[in-house]
Amino acid sequence: MNGSNGDSAVGHRPPARGGTGRAGRVRMTGKQRREQLLDIGRSVFAERGYDGTSVEEIAERAGVSKPVVYEHFGGKEGLYAVVVDREMQLLLDMVTGALTGGHSRELLEQAAFALMDYIDTSTDGFKILVRDSPVAQSTGTFASLISDIATQVEDILGLEFKARGFDARLAPMYSQMLVGMVALTGQWWLEVRKPGKAEVAAHLVNLAWHGLEGMERHPKLVGERQV
């Protein structure tokens, strides 16, 4: 009888499967768990900011213990750094990949729309990038990302300046102005979502392009302040 009870207990135990845990959940590989933690961390950082996010909450949402988060990223700072690096690379790739050639105005349109498209499709990522954090020094900042994108635009402006007889040495400054204008407009649009991103991009290019068309070669302030 004892043997029967023992056999019964063993016989009715579900067969062991390498892909399931004790609660019947699919057991993730190390790579899958890392990606899950990155997705959850990205969401929480966007929602609460760096200071408002805790390892405890990330672990709880992932259904794991805190040591699992530390094992993969060394802590909140390490997780945040990877999230930011990924978003920065994604945005830079989208903008540079959009610059496929054509007329200078078309290139400007491509860059503006790519940034608006990123804000629309990767809203959480954009929220993270535009926030300051205590670990910005190690992960880069939105300003540094904008500078990277401006460098791409700089070459386009340099050629345009030369063709029009302007000082090409000023192209880096103007590229910062243009990209900064688009980025700040994107932050505003993130909250209002009106008008549509294509229309916003068109208006951005309208201001930028016609501003460039009517540019003075040697601009001066019209007011009293000259220094």
Side-chain angles (χ1 to χ4, degrees), residues 115 118-119 122-130 142 183 186-187 190:
L115 180 55
Y118 169 78
I119 295 170
S122 189
T123 301
D124 281 352
F126 185 72
K127 286 180 178 178
I128 293 170
L129 290 182
V130 297
F142 188 61
Q187 286 183 260
L190 181 65

Side-chain angles (χ1 to χ4, degrees), residues 35-218:
E35 291 301 317
Q36 181 210 28
L37 291 172
L38 283 169
D39 287 341
I40 291 173
R42 180 177 179 270
S43 176
V44 180
F45 285 130
E47 179 185 340
R48 302 185 183 279
Y50 179 83
D51 290 333
T53 299
S54 67
V55 172
E56 288 86 348
E57 181 172 4
I58 293 171
E60 183 179 350
R61 291 197 188 188
V64 299
S65 61
K66 285 168 51 179
V68 174
V69 181
Y70 287 108
E71 178 185 346
H72 282 279
F73 300 101
K76 182 173 75 169
E77 181 176 335
L79 174 58
Y80 181 86
V82 176
V83 169
V84 170
D85 284 345
R86 282 190 169 195
E87 290 302 322
M88 290 181 72
Q89 192 59 53
L90 173 61
L91 176 52
L92 188 59
D93 288 347
M94 286 180 70
V95 173
T96 55
L99 301 176
T100 56
H103 188 269
S104 297
R105 174 164 180 165
E106 188 178 1
L107 288 168
L108 188 58
E109 289 177 0
Q110 291 166 352
F113 192 84
L115 180 55
M116 297 301 298
D117 201 30
Y118 169 78
I119 295 170
D120 188 34
T121 60
S122 189
T123 301
D124 281 352
F126 185 72
K127 286 180 178 178
I128 293 170
L129 290 182
V130 297
R131 277 198 180 111
D132 291 329
S133 83
V135 293
Q137 293 83 358
S138 60
T139 60
T141 63
F142 188 61
S144 68
L145 175 63
I146 291 302
S147 182
D148 289 341
I149 296 173
T151 300
Q152 308 295 323
V153 179
E154 179 183 322
D155 294 335
I156 301 169
L157 282 181
L159 294 174
E160 193 71 24
F161 275 27
K162 286 180 181 178
R164 292 170 180 248
F166 289 93
D167 187 351
R169 293 174 297 179
L170 296 174
M173 180 176 68
Y174 276 89
S175 67
Q176 293 283 344
M177 293 175 182
L178 287 172
V179 175
M181 177 181 72
V182 176
L184 287 174
T185 303
Q187 286 183 260
W188 166 81
W189 182 79
L190 181 65
E191 302 300 326
V192 298
R193 297 288 182 155
K194 291 180 181 180
K197 61 183 177 183
E199 187 175 349
V200 174
H203 283 286
L204 281 166
V205 173
N206 182 42
L207 175 60
W209 184 256
H210 290 293
L212 288 171
E213 269 196 331
M215 238 174 27
E216 299 172 337
R217 292 189 182 181
H218 304 288

